[in-house]
Amino acid sequence: TNSVNINIMNDSKSKNANLIFRDFTGRILYDQPLYLKSMNNSISIDLTKFVSGIYLIELTDGVNKSYKKLIRK
């Protein structure tokens, strides 16, 4: 597919965050500031500029970080 939908659950009050995509070498390919509302947040990312490979998705609010792996075929 040419896009990925990311659903983020925010249990606390609204806050700023960053969504970062890195390649396998750690190079940042995408860095998007976000404003997360409390509860559900949905973001669609266009992947047409990403070649096939494995990417690390990082979500950080400056204090907490979470990671997911994305495989683009």
Side-chain angles (χ1 to χ4, degrees):
T1 66
N2 288 327
S3 66
V4 63
N5 292 317
I6 299 173
N7 295 309
I8 302 166
M9 185 68 149
N10 181 18
D11 292 336
S12 64
K13 56 186 174 182
S14 301
K15 60 184 169 186
N16 293 315
N18 271 43
L19 183 66
I20 301 167
F21 280 44
R22 298 178 187 269
D23 66 9
F24 66 94
T25 66
R27 183 177 58 156
I28 295 175
L29 304 173
Y30 180 90
D31 188 350
Q32 176 69 44
L34 304 173
Y35 181 73
L36 300 177
K37 301 174 286 187
S38 59
M39 301 312 283
N40 288 334
N41 297 268
S42 182
I43 301 148
S44 181
I45 307 295
D46 181 9
L47 296 177
T48 55
K49 295 182 182 179
F50 290 76
V51 297
S52 296
I54 300 172
Y55 298 92
L56 183 66
I57 301 172
E58 175 185 335
L59 179 68
T60 180
D61 64 5
V63 176
N64 302 303
K65 292 183 180 183
S66 62
Y67 299 94
K68 293 290 180 185
K69 180 171 61 172
L70 171 70
I71 300 173
R72 171 116 164 103
K73 294 183 179 184

Coordinates of all heavy atoms in Angstrom, one line a residue:
T1 N 0.8 -1.2 0.0 CA 0.0 0.0 0.0 C 0.9 1.2 0.0 O 2.0 1.2 0.3 CB -0.9 0.0 1.2 OG1 -0.2 0.2 2.4 CG2 -1.8 -1.2 1.3
N2 N 0.3 2.4 -0.4 CA 1.0 3.6 -0.4 C 0.8 4.5 0.8 O 1.3 5.6 0.8 CB 0.6 4.4 -1.7 CG 1.2 3.7 -2.9 OD1 2.3 3.1 -2.9 ND2 0.5 3.7 -4.0
S3 N 0.1 4.0 1.8 CA 0.0 4.8 3.0 C -0.2 3.9 4.2 O -0.5 2.7 4.0 CB -1.2 5.7 2.9 OG -2.4 5.0 2.8
V4 N 0.0 4.4 5.3 CA -0.1 3.7 6.6 C -1.0 4.5 7.5 O -0.8 5.7 7.6 CB 1.2 3.3 7.2 CG1 2.0 4.5 7.6 CG2 1.0 2.3 8.4
N5 N -1.9 3.9 8.2 CA -2.7 4.6 9.2 C -2.2 4.2 10.6 O -2.0 3.1 10.9 CB -4.2 4.2 9.1 CG -4.8 4.8 7.8 OD1 -4.5 5.9 7.4 ND2 -5.6 3.9 7.1
I6 N -1.9 5.3 11.4 CA -1.4 5.1 12.7 C -2.5 5.6 13.7 O -2.9 6.7 13.6 CB -0.1 5.8 12.9 CG1 0.9 5.3 11.9 CG2 0.4 5.7 14.3 CD1 2.2 6.0 11.8
N7 N -2.9 4.7 14.6 CA -3.8 5.1 15.6 C -3.1 5.2 17.0 O -2.4 4.3 17.4 CB -4.9 4.0 15.7 CG -5.8 4.0 14.5 OD1 -6.2 5.0 14.0 ND2 -5.9 2.8 13.9
I8 N -3.2 6.3 17.6 CA -2.5 6.6 18.8 C -3.6 6.8 19.9 O -4.4 7.7 19.8 CB -1.6 7.9 18.7 CG1 -0.6 7.6 17.6 CG2 -0.9 8.2 20.0 CD1 0.1 8.9 17.1
M9 N -3.4 6.1 21.0 CA -4.3 6.2 22.2 C -3.6 7.1 23.2 O -2.5 6.8 23.6 CB -4.7 4.9 22.7 CG -5.6 4.9 23.8 SD -7.2 5.4 23.2 CE -8.3 4.6 24.2
N10 N -4.2 8.2 23.6 CA -3.6 9.1 24.6 C -4.5 9.1 25.8 O -5.6 9.6 25.8 CB -3.5 10.5 24.0 CG -2.9 11.5 24.9 OD1 -2.3 11.1 25.9 ND2 -3.1 12.8 24.7
D11 N -4.0 8.5 26.9 CA -4.8 8.4 28.1 C -4.8 9.6 29.0 O -5.6 9.8 29.8 CB -4.3 7.2 28.9 CG -4.6 5.9 28.3 OD1 -5.6 5.8 27.4 OD2 -3.9 4.9 28.5
S12 N -3.8 10.5 28.7 CA -3.7 11.7 29.5 C -4.4 12.9 28.8 O -5.0 12.7 27.7 CB -2.3 12.0 29.8 OG -1.6 12.3 28.6
K13 N -4.2 14.1 29.3 CA -4.8 15.2 28.6 C -4.0 15.5 27.4 O -2.9 15.0 27.1 CB -4.8 16.4 29.6 CG -3.4 16.8 30.2 CD -3.6 17.9 31.2 CE -2.2 18.1 31.9 NZ -2.3 19.1 32.9
S14 N -4.5 16.4 26.6 CA -3.9 16.8 25.3 C -2.5 17.2 25.4 O -2.1 17.8 26.5 CB -4.7 17.9 24.6 OG -6.0 17.5 24.4
K15 N -1.6 16.9 24.5 CA -0.2 17.2 24.5 C 0.4 17.2 23.2 O -0.1 16.7 22.2 CB 0.5 16.3 25.5 CG 0.5 14.8 25.0 CD 1.2 13.9 26.1 CE 0.9 12.5 25.8 NZ 1.4 11.6 26.8
N16 N 1.6 17.8 23.1 CA 2.4 17.8 21.8 C 3.2 16.6 21.8 O 3.7 16.1 22.8 CB 3.3 19.1 21.8 CG 2.5 20.3 21.6 OD1 1.5 20.4 20.8 ND2 2.8 21.3 22.4
A17 N 3.5 16.1 20.6 CA 4.3 14.9 20.4 C 5.0 15.0 19.0 O 4.7 15.9 18.2 CB 3.5 13.7 20.5
N18 N 5.9 14.1 18.8 CA 6.6 14.0 17.5 C 6.5 12.6 17.0 O 6.7 11.6 17.8 CB 8.0 14.4 17.5 CG 8.3 15.8 17.3 OD1 7.5 16.7 17.8 ND2 9.2 16.2 16.5
L19 N 6.2 12.4 15.7 CA 6.2 11.1 15.0 C 7.4 11.1 14.1 O 7.5 11.9 13.2 CB 4.9 10.9 14.3 CG 4.7 9.6 13.6 CD1 4.5 8.5 14.6 CD2 3.5 9.6 12.7
I20 N 8.3 10.1 14.3 CA 9.5 10.0 13.6 C 9.6 8.7 12.9 O 9.4 7.6 13.5 CB 10.7 10.3 14.5 CG1 10.6 11.6 15.2 CG2 12.0 10.1 13.8 CD1 11.5 11.8 16.4
F21 N 10.0 8.7 11.6 CA 10.3 7.4 10.9 C 11.8 7.4 10.7 O 12.4 8.4 10.2 CB 9.7 7.4 9.5 CG 8.2 7.0 9.5 CD1 7.3 7.5 10.5 CD2 7.7 6.1 8.6 CE1 6.0 7.2 10.5 CE2 6.4 5.8 8.6 CZ 5.5 6.3 9.5
R22 N 12.5 6.3 11.0 CA 13.9 6.1 10.8 C 14.1 4.9 9.9 O 13.4 3.9 10.0 CB 14.6 5.9 12.1 CG 14.5 7.0 13.1 CD 15.2 6.7 14.4 NE 15.0 7.7 15.4 CZ 15.8 8.8 15.6 NH1 16.9 8.9 14.8 NH2 15.5 9.6 16.5
D23 N 15.2 4.9 9.1 CA 15.6 3.7 8.4 C 16.4 2.9 9.2 O 16.7 3.2 10.4 CB 16.2 4.1 7.0 CG 17.6 4.8 7.2 OD1 18.1 4.9 8.3 OD2 18.1 5.3 6.2
F24 N 16.9 1.7 8.7 CA 17.7 0.8 9.5 C 19.0 1.3 10.0 O 19.6 0.8 10.9 CB 17.9 -0.5 8.7 CG 18.8 -0.4 7.5 CD1 20.1 -0.7 7.6 CD2 18.2 0.0 6.3 CE1 20.9 -0.5 6.5 CE2 19.0 0.1 5.2 CZ 20.4 -0.2 5.3
T25 N 19.5 2.4 9.4 CA 20.8 3.0 9.9 C 20.5 4.1 10.9 O 21.5 4.6 11.5 CB 21.5 3.7 8.7 OG1 20.8 4.8 8.2 CG2 21.8 2.7 7.6
G26 N 19.3 4.4 11.2 CA 18.9 5.4 12.2 C 18.7 6.8 11.7 O 18.3 7.7 12.4
R27 N 18.8 6.9 10.4 CA 18.6 8.2 9.7 C 17.1 8.6 9.8 O 16.3 7.8 9.5 CB 19.1 8.1 8.3 CG 19.0 9.4 7.5 CD 19.6 9.3 6.2 NE 18.9 8.2 5.5 CZ 18.8 8.1 4.2 NH1 19.4 9.0 3.4 NH2 18.1 7.1 3.6
I28 N 16.8 9.8 10.1 CA 15.5 10.3 10.2 C 15.0 10.6 8.8 O 15.6 11.4 8.1 CB 15.3 11.5 11.1 CG1 15.6 11.1 12.5 CG2 13.9 12.1 11.0 CD1 15.7 12.3 13.5
L29 N 13.9 10.0 8.4 CA 13.3 10.2 7.0 C 12.0 11.0 7.1 O 11.6 11.6 6.1 CB 13.0 8.8 6.4 CG 14.2 7.9 6.2 CD1 13.7 6.6 5.7 CD2 15.3 8.5 5.3
Y30 N 11.4 11.0 8.3 CA 10.1 11.7 8.4 C 10.1 12.2 9.9 O 10.3 11.4 10.8 CB 9.0 10.7 8.1 CG 7.6 11.3 8.2 CD1 7.0 11.9 7.1 CD2 6.9 11.2 9.4 CE1 5.7 12.4 7.3 CE2 5.6 11.7 9.5 CZ 5.0 12.3 8.4 OH 3.8 12.8 8.6
D31 N 9.7 13.4 10.1 CA 9.6 14.0 11.4 C 8.4 14.9 11.4 O 8.5 16.0 10.8 CB 10.9 14.7 11.8 CG 10.9 15.1 13.3 OD1 9.8 15.0 14.0 OD2 11.9 15.5 13.8
Q32 N 7.3 14.5 12.1 CA 6.1 15.3 12.1 C 5.7 15.7 13.5 O 5.4 14.8 14.3 CB 5.0 14.5 11.4 CG 3.6 15.2 11.4 CD 3.6 16.4 10.5 OE1 4.1 16.3 9.4 NE2 3.0 17.5 10.9
P33 N 5.6 17.0 13.8 CA 5.0 17.4 15.1 C 3.5 17.1 15.1 O 2.9 17.3 14.1 CB 5.3 18.9 15.2 CG 5.9 19.3 13.9 CD 6.1 18.1 13.0
L34 N 3.1 16.7 16.2 CA 1.6 16.3 16.4 C 1.1 17.0 17.6 O 1.8 17.3 18.6 CB 1.5 14.8 16.6 CG 2.0 13.9 15.5 CD1 1.9 12.5 16.0 CD2 1.3 14.1 14.2
Y35 N -0.2 17.2 17.6 CA -0.9 17.7 18.8 C -1.9 16.5 19.1 O -2.9 16.3 18.3 CB -1.7 19.0 18.6 CG -2.4 19.4 19.8 CD1 -1.7 19.9 20.9 CD2 -3.8 19.3 19.9 CE1 -2.4 20.3 22.1 CE2 -4.5 19.7 21.0 CZ -3.7 20.2 22.1 OH -4.4 20.6 23.2
L36 N -1.7 15.8 20.1 CA -2.5 14.7 20.5 C -3.6 15.1 21.4 O -3.4 15.6 22.5 CB -1.7 13.6 21.2 CG -0.5 13.0 20.3 CD1 0.2 12.0 21.2 CD2 -1.0 12.4 19.1
K37 N -4.9 14.8 21.0 CA -6.0 15.0 21.8 C -6.1 13.9 22.8 O -5.5 12.8 22.6 CB -7.3 15.1 21.0 CG -7.3 16.2 19.9 CD -8.5 16.1 19.1 CE -8.3 14.9 18.1 NZ -9.3 14.7 17.1
S38 N -6.8 14.1 23.9 CA -7.1 12.9 24.8 C -7.9 11.9 24.0 O -8.7 12.2 23.2 CB -7.7 13.4 26.1 OG -9.0 14.0 25.8
M39 N -7.7 10.7 24.3 CA -8.3 9.5 23.7 C -7.7 9.1 22.4 O -6.5 9.1 22.2 CB -9.9 9.7 23.6 CG -10.5 9.9 25.0 SD -10.0 8.7 26.3 CE -10.9 7.3 25.8
N40 N -8.5 8.9 21.3 CA -8.0 8.4 20.0 C -7.5 9.5 19.1 O -8.2 10.5 19.0 CB -9.1 7.6 19.3 CG -9.4 6.3 20.0 OD1 -8.5 5.7 20.6 ND2 -10.6 5.8 19.8
N41 N -6.4 9.2 18.4 CA -5.9 10.0 17.4 C -5.5 9.2 16.2 O -4.8 8.1 16.4 CB -4.6 10.7 17.9 CG -4.9 11.7 19.1 OD1 -5.1 12.8 18.9 ND2 -4.9 11.1 20.3
S42 N -5.9 9.6 15.0 CA -5.6 8.8 13.8 C -4.8 9.6 12.8 O -5.2 10.8 12.6 CB -6.9 8.3 13.2 OG -6.6 7.5 12.1
I43 N -3.7 9.1 12.3 CA -2.8 9.8 11.4 C -2.6 8.9 10.2 O -2.3 7.7 10.3 CB -1.5 10.2 12.1 CG1 -1.8 11.0 13.3 CG2 -0.5 10.9 11.1 CD1 -0.8 10.8 14.4
S44 N -2.7 9.5 9.0 CA -2.4 8.7 7.8 C -1.1 9.3 7.2 O -0.9 10.5 7.0 CB -3.5 8.9 6.8 OG -3.2 8.2 5.6
I45 N -0.1 8.4 6.9 CA 1.2 8.8 6.4 C 1.3 8.3 5.0 O 1.2 7.1 4.7 CB 2.3 8.2 7.3 CG1 2.1 8.6 8.7 CG2 3.7 8.7 6.7 CD1 2.2 10.1 9.0
D46 N 1.7 9.1 4.0 CA 2.0 8.8 2.6 C 3.3 8.1 2.6 O 4.3 8.7 3.0 CB 1.9 10.0 1.8 CG 2.2 9.7 0.3 OD1 2.2 8.6 -0.1 OD2 2.3 10.7 -0.5
L47 N 3.4 6.9 2.0 CA 4.6 6.1 1.9 C 5.2 6.1 0.5 O 6.2 5.3 0.3 CB 4.4 4.7 2.4 CG 4.0 4.5 3.9 CD1 3.7 3.0 4.2 CD2 5.0 5.0 4.8
T48 N 4.7 6.8 -0.4 CA 5.2 6.7 -1.8 C 6.6 7.1 -1.9 O 7.3 6.6 -2.9 CB 4.3 7.6 -2.7 OG1 4.3 9.0 -2.2 CG2 2.9 7.1 -2.8
K49 N 7.2 7.9 -1.1 CA 8.6 8.2 -1.1 C 9.5 7.3 -0.4 O 10.7 7.4 -0.4 CB 8.8 9.7 -0.6 CG 8.1 10.7 -1.5 CD 8.4 12.1 -1.0 CE 7.7 13.1 -1.8 NZ 7.8 14.5 -1.3
F50 N 8.9 6.3 0.3 CA 9.7 5.3 1.0 C 10.0 4.1 0.1 O 9.0 3.5 -0.4 CB 9.0 4.9 2.3 CG 8.9 5.9 3.3 CD1 8.0 7.0 3.2 CD2 9.7 5.9 4.4 CE1 7.9 8.0 4.2 CE2 9.6 6.8 5.4 CZ 8.7 7.9 5.3
V51 N 11.2 3.6 0.0 CA 11.5 2.4 -0.7 C 11.2 1.2 0.1 O 11.0 1.3 1.3 CB 13.0 2.4 -1.2 CG1 13.3 3.6 -2.1 CG2 13.9 2.4 0.0
S52 N 11.2 0.0 -0.5 CA 11.0 -1.2 0.3 C 12.1 -1.3 1.4 O 13.2 -1.0 1.1 CB 11.1 -2.4 -0.6 OG 10.0 -2.3 -1.6
G53 N 11.7 -1.8 2.5 CA 12.6 -1.9 3.6 C 11.9 -1.9 5.0 O 10.7 -2.0 5.1
I54 N 12.7 -1.9 6.0 CA 12.3 -2.0 7.4 C 12.5 -0.6 8.0 O 13.6 0.0 7.9 CB 13.0 -3.0 8.2 CG1 12.7 -4.4 7.6 CG2 12.5 -3.0 9.7 CD1 13.5 -5.5 8.2
Y55 N 11.5 -0.1 8.6 CA 11.5 1.3 9.2 C 11.1 1.2 10.7 O 10.3 0.3 11.1 CB 10.6 2.2 8.5 CG 11.0 2.4 7.1 CD1 10.4 1.6 6.1 CD2 11.9 3.4 6.7 CE1 10.8 1.8 4.8 CE2 12.3 3.5 5.4 CZ 11.7 2.7 4.4 OH 12.1 2.9 3.1
L56 N 11.7 2.1 11.5 CA 11.3 2.2 12.9 C 10.5 3.4 13.1 O 10.9 4.5 12.7 CB 12.6 2.3 13.8 CG 12.3 2.3 15.3 CD1 11.7 1.0 15.8 CD2 13.6 2.6 16.0
I57 N 9.3 3.3 13.6 CA 8.4 4.4 13.9 C 8.5 4.7 15.4 O 8.4 3.9 16.2 CB 6.9 4.1 13.6 CG1 6.8 3.7 12.1 CG2 6.0 5.3 13.9 CD1 5.4 3.1 11.8
E58 N 8.9 6.0 15.6 CA 9.0 6.4 17.0 C 8.0 7.5 17.3 O 7.8 8.5 16.5 CB 10.4 7.0 17.2 CG 10.7 7.6 18.6 CD 12.1 8.3 18.6 OE1 13.0 7.9 17.9 OE2 12.2 9.2 19.5
L59 N 7.3 7.4 18.4 CA 6.4 8.4 18.9 C 6.9 8.9 20.3 O 7.2 8.1 21.2 CB 5.0 7.9 19.1 CG 4.0 8.9 19.6 CD1 3.7 10.0 18.6 CD2 2.7 8.2 20.0
T60 N 7.2 10.2 20.4 CA 7.7 10.8 21.6 C 7.0 12.0 22.0 O 6.6 12.8 21.1 CB 9.3 11.0 21.5 OG1 9.7 11.6 22.7 CG2 9.6 12.0 20.4
D61 N 6.8 12.2 23.3 CA 6.2 13.4 23.8 C 7.2 14.2 24.6 O 6.9 15.1 25.3 CB 4.9 13.2 24.6 CG 5.2 12.4 25.9 OD1 6.4 12.1 26.2 OD2 4.3 12.0 26.6
G62 N 8.5 13.9 24.4 CA 9.6 14.6 25.2 C 9.9 13.9 26.5 O 11.0 14.1 27.0
V63 N 9.0 13.1 27.0 CA 9.3 12.3 28.2 C 9.2 10.8 27.9 O 10.2 10.1 28.2 CB 8.3 12.7 29.3 CG1 8.5 11.8 30.6 CG2 8.4 14.1 29.7
N64 N 8.2 10.4 27.3 CA 8.0 9.0 26.9 C 8.2 8.7 25.5 O 8.0 9.6 24.6 CB 6.5 8.6 27.3 CG 6.2 8.8 28.7 OD1 6.8 8.3 29.6 ND2 5.2 9.6 29.0
K65 N 8.7 7.5 25.1 CA 8.9 7.1 23.8 C 8.3 5.7 23.6 O 8.4 4.9 24.5 CB 10.4 7.1 23.4 CG 11.1 8.4 23.4 CD 12.5 8.2 23.0 CE 13.2 9.6 23.0 NZ 14.6 9.5 22.5
S66 N 7.7 5.5 22.4 CA 7.2 4.2 22.0 C 7.7 3.9 20.6 O 7.8 4.9 19.8 CB 5.7 4.0 22.2 OG 5.1 4.9 21.4
Y67 N 7.9 2.7 20.3 CA 8.4 2.3 19.0 C 7.6 1.2 18.4 O 7.1 0.3 19.0 CB 9.9 1.8 19.1 CG 10.8 2.8 19.7 CD1 11.1 2.8 21.1 CD2 11.5 3.7 18.9 CE1 12.0 3.7 21.6 CE2 12.4 4.6 19.4 CZ 12.6 4.6 20.7 OH 13.5 5.5 21.3
K68 N 7.5 1.2 17.0 CA 6.9 0.1 16.3 C 7.7 -0.1 15.0 O 8.3 0.9 14.5 CB 5.5 0.5 15.8 CG 4.5 0.5 17.0 CD 4.2 -0.8 17.6 CE 3.3 -0.7 18.7 NZ 3.0 -2.0 19.4
K69 N 7.7 -1.3 14.5 CA 8.5 -1.6 13.3 C 7.5 -1.6 12.1 O 6.3 -2.1 12.2 CB 9.1 -3.0 13.4 CG 9.8 -3.4 12.2 CD 10.6 -4.7 12.4 CE 9.8 -5.9 12.7 NZ 10.5 -7.2 12.8
L70 N 7.9 -1.0 11.0 CA 7.1 -1.0 9.8 C 7.9 -1.6 8.7 O 9.1 -1.3 8.4 CB 6.8 0.5 9.4 CG 6.1 0.7 8.0 CD1 4.7 0.2 8.0 CD2 6.2 2.1 7.6
I71 N 7.3 -2.6 8.0 CA 7.9 -3.3 6.9 C 7.2 -2.8 5.6 O 6.0 -3.1 5.5 CB 7.9 -4.8 7.0 CG1 8.6 -5.2 8.3 CG2 8.5 -5.5 5.8 CD1 8.5 -6.7 8.6
R72 N 7.9 -2.2 4.7 CA 7.4 -1.7 3.4 C 7.9 -2.7 2.4 O 9.1 -2.9 2.1 CB 7.9 -0.3 3.1 CG 7.5 0.2 1.8 CD 6.6 1.3 1.8 NE 6.5 2.1 0.6 CZ 5.5 1.9 -0.3 NH1 4.5 1.1 0.0 NH2 5.5 2.6 -1.4
K73 N 6.9 -3.3 1.7 CA 7.3 -4.3 0.6 C 7.3 -3.7 -0.7 O 6.8 -2.7 -1.0 CB 6.2 -5.5 0.7 CG 6.3 -6.3 1.9 CD 5.3 -7.4 1.9 CE 5.4 -8.2 3.1 NZ 4.6 -9.4 3.1

